[in-house]
Amino acid sequence: DRVRCLRRYAQWQLLFDVGAVTVLIYLSGGLESFFSFLYMPVIISAALLLDGRGSLFIASVCSLAYGLLMDLQYFGWIAPLQIIGGTVQLKDSSVYFHTILMNIAGFYLVAYLSGYLARELHKSSLQVREQKKDFHQLEILHRNIVHSMGSGLLTTGIDGSIVFSNHAARRILGLPSDR
């Protein structure tokens, strides 16, 4: 239940981020704004927080938000505020189409690549977990073998101090058994 709540929270946060970037683009000149790249970290975050499908979904939301903003600007239904940028220059339809197409292609490319990398990261973390488990089992086996040996075994450090001794070595040397 807790995971479901965190996933839903992440989805709402990502949708809020898309809205915030869209507002920033609107405030900085719409088509003239160079802030459309800020959709990319949102898409990458979706890949890490949700999964590959989550990044594609957020890329679709980014595409819709950006495309809608550009269409509303092109048809004159809204005028960018130009709070951050300079003056609005009228562009022809090919500039709008090219800008929208290139940004949407970038959104989906980032979604695909970040989804792929998120899956690989997940696989790698599972492999590391398995290797840690295997290493721990090997360490237990090694410890059991060394402690059950009938002959004494000592390891020393470079300075000659005893680093490890098994039960038989401590018994042979007359050392306390707690060492």
Side-chain angles (χ1 to χ4, degrees), residues 36-84:
S36 63
F37 76 91
L38 290 176
Y39 285 119
M40 306 299 180
V42 178
I43 296 168
I44 293 168
S45 298
L48 293 172
L49 295 173
L50 304 175
D51 56 18
R53 283 184 280 150
S55 67
L56 288 173
F57 173 75
I58 292 297
S60 298
V61 172
C62 291
S63 299
L64 287 171
Y66 187 74
L68 180 64
L69 180 65
M70 293 300 109
D71 284 347
L72 291 174
Q73 181 181 348
Y74 176 73
F75 289 113
W77 293 343
I78 62 169
L81 294 181
Q82 293 297 115
I83 291 176
I84 299 175

Side-chain angles (χ1 to χ4, degrees), residues 81-98:
L81 294 181
Q82 293 297 115
I83 291 176
I84 299 175
T87 61
V88 177
Q89 299 175 2
L90 296 176
K91 303 287 184 182
D92 62 358
S93 62
S94 65
V95 172
Y96 277 93
F97 180 72
H98 182 265

Side-chain angles (χ1 to χ4, degrees), residues 9 24 47:
Y9 176 77
L24 178 64

